[in-house]
Amino acid sequence: MDIETFVERSLGEWRSQRSAHHLAFAHFEEVLSTINIESMSVDAPGVLELCQRYEVSPDSIVSPFRMSWKGESDWDEEQVIEGSTILVPVPTGAMTGKLLREQGYAETMESMGTYTLTDDGTFILTTAYERAAAEEKIWFATPNLRFRVSLIKTSSGKGVTTASFSSEVRRSASS
Amino acid sequence: MDIETFVERSLGEWRSQRSAHHLAFAHFEEVLSTINIESMSVDAPGVLELCQRYEVSPDSIVSPFRMSWKGESDWDEEQVIEGSTILVPVPTGAMTGKLLREQGYAETMESMGTYTLTDDGTFILTTAYERAAAEEKIWFATPNLRFRVSLIKTSSGKGVTTASFSSEVRRSASS
């Protein structure tokens, strides 16, 4: 599976069930949310801006998309977590590449991560931040069900502080 | 990584944080438990019995082990979930084999599953039951942290009813 196919299969509206494990304190956190993934054109303003900022030629990008989410956390039911960001794959090989991410308007940090697609169709994204590193694995169990394991690591990459797991079920077009 | 190495790395006492997602109802379940994994000798009575029942020659098995667990579920704090079972790998190749599992004294069903170890060190176990199928992926993030994703599927293998994720942190020998 190449990145175009992976993005294509990801488009749509998903109901996400996410559990986070804060490992040092054996603390659990649960979040239910709705995720929307929409394709964007390669010459959309937000996409071009992101290319410019990372000095990436718009000719080298494929399948840019917008991801937005809206959820509620169990530790504060009043708090609605909402956000949106633009993501731009920049392939460097058939199964590898960079992923640019816009800062968006909530919670996210601008970043450039590195992705790999494995033979069994798992998308693995590694992103280094100033004080931490993140690793995300996403795979499809069926066309309408995908799973995501996200790890927040110490910046050395040796320790894991938080591990989270999401089950994402596609909402049918008619509902 | 071969199965002997995988079992060797798994030995010890682990604190497990497990989240289950019941997908149809977007229901969450959380369980904290302690898991103990101890090696057994190939000629231990329970191991030989299991070989006999599945008509497997004791010469073809490696690294049998006992797994026991004790936990509490969030939906019933009175209920202590406890159990123990014997597991016996029967390699059929360098990275593949069968896994025999004893019925144990709680909750488990006797079974023979099929395992594969992937290039990146993930252990994948598939088990078919009469009315369902199970798929389990286990991998190490560090020598002292392993993750487990378990899926309960319909017997056709097409649908997933429950997905669960466990973070397992090694308890230090001194604590």
Side-chain angles (χ1 to χ4, degrees):
Chain A
M1 177 152 52
D2 58 16
I3 187 70
E4 285 99 327
T5 310
F6 186 83
V7 173
E8 180 71 33
R9 292 185 68 181
S10 300
L11 299 177
E13 186 174 301
W14 302 82
R15 185 205 69 201
S16 163
Q17 240 186 300
R18 178 171 173 271
S19 294
H21 297 170
H22 300 283
L23 299 179
F25 306 103
H27 176 69
F28 290 91
E29 191 184 319
E30 299 174 345
V31 186
L32 269 178
S33 59
T34 296
I35 296 175
N36 253 291
I37 301 177
E38 300 158 284
S39 70
M40 293 180 75
S41 83
V42 290
D43 56 3
V47 173
L48 291 178
E49 270 168 45
L50 204 51
C51 288
Q52 221 163 24
R53 205 140 59 245
Y54 283 99
E55 300 179 349
V56 162
S57 158
D59 295 339
S60 62
I61 70 170
V62 298
S63 306
F65 57 101
R66 178 187 298 280
M67 190 164 87
S68 50
W69 58 94
K70 190 169 174 177
E72 270 178 34
S73 165
D74 66 331
W75 40 267
D76 186 354
E77 292 189 8
E78 297 296 302
Q79 188 189 8
V80 174
I81 301 152
E82 235 183 305
S84 167
T85 187
I86 294 172
L87 294 126
V88 178
V90 189
T92 55
M95 307 287 269
T96 56
K98 305 282 180 191
L99 185 71
L100 312 183
R101 195 179 68 193
E102 190 203 23
Q103 180 160 10
Y105 68 83
E107 283 199 84
T108 58
M109 286 166 77
E110 186 174 275
S111 69
M112 179 167 69
T114 305
Y115 71 79
T116 308
L117 284 153
T118 66
D119 288 339
D120 67 352
T122 303
F123 172 85
I124 304 176
L125 178 69
T126 312
T127 311
Y129 297 100
E130 206 175 321
R131 288 177 197 172
E135 186 191 293
E136 188 153 65
K137 288 189 190 191
I138 304 176
W139 70 97
F140 288 85
T142 73
N144 298 317
L145 174 61
R146 55 178 227 171
F147 295 115
R148 181 194 294 256
V149 170
S150 308
L151 307 182
I152 308 296
K153 300 183 170 187
T154 55
S155 52
S156 74
K158 282 187 189 159
V160 177
T161 56
T162 306
S164 71
F165 177 63
S166 304
S167 302
E168 300 175 347
V169 176
R170 187 185 295 280
R171 288 223 160 95
S172 58
S174 59
S175 70
Chain B
M1 176 152 52
D2 58 17
I3 187 71
E4 286 98 327
T5 310
F6 187 83
V7 173
E8 180 71 32
R9 294 185 68 181
S10 300
L11 299 177
E13 186 173 302
W14 302 83
R15 185 204 69 203
S16 163
Q17 238 184 302
R18 177 170 174 272
S19 295
H21 297 170
H22 300 282
L23 300 179
F25 307 101
H27 176 69
F28 290 92
E29 190 185 322
E30 299 174 345
V31 186
L32 269 177
S33 59
T34 296
I35 295 175
N36 254 289
I37 301 176
E38 301 159 284
S39 70
M40 294 180 76
S41 84
V42 290
D43 56 4
V47 173
L48 291 179
E49 269 168 48
L50 204 51
C51 288
Q52 221 163 25
R53 204 139 59 245
Y54 284 98
E55 300 179 349
V56 163
S57 158
D59 295 340
S60 61
I61 70 169
V62 299
S63 306
F65 58 100
R66 179 189 297 280
M67 189 164 87
S68 49
W69 58 93
K70 191 170 173 174
E72 270 177 34
S73 165
D74 65 333
W75 39 267
D76 184 355
E77 292 188 7
E78 297 295 303
Q79 187 187 8
V80 174
I81 302 153
E82 237 183 304
S84 167
T85 187
I86 294 172
L87 294 126
V88 178
V90 189
T92 53
M95 308 288 267
T96 56
K98 304 282 179 190
L99 185 72
L100 312 183
R101 193 180 69 193
E102 190 204 23
Q103 179 160 10
Y105 68 83
E107 284 199 83
T108 58
M109 286 166 78
E110 186 174 274
S111 68
M112 180 167 68
T114 305
Y115 72 79
T116 308
L117 284 152
T118 66
D119 288 339
D120 67 352
T122 303
F123 172 84
I124 304 176
L125 177 68
T126 312
T127 311
Y129 297 99
E130 205 176 323
R131 287 177 199 174
E135 186 190 294
E136 189 153 64
K137 288 188 190 193
I138 303 176
W139 71 98
F140 289 85
T142 74
N144 299 317
L145 175 60
R146 55 177 227 172
F147 295 115
R148 180 195 294 256
V149 170
S150 307
L151 307 182
I152 308 294
K153 300 181 171 188
T154 54
S155 52
S156 73
K158 283 188 188 159
V160 177
T161 56
T162 306
S164 71
F165 177 63
S166 304
S167 302
E168 301 175 348
V169 177
R170 187 186 296 280
R171 289 223 159 96
S172 58
S174 60
S175 70

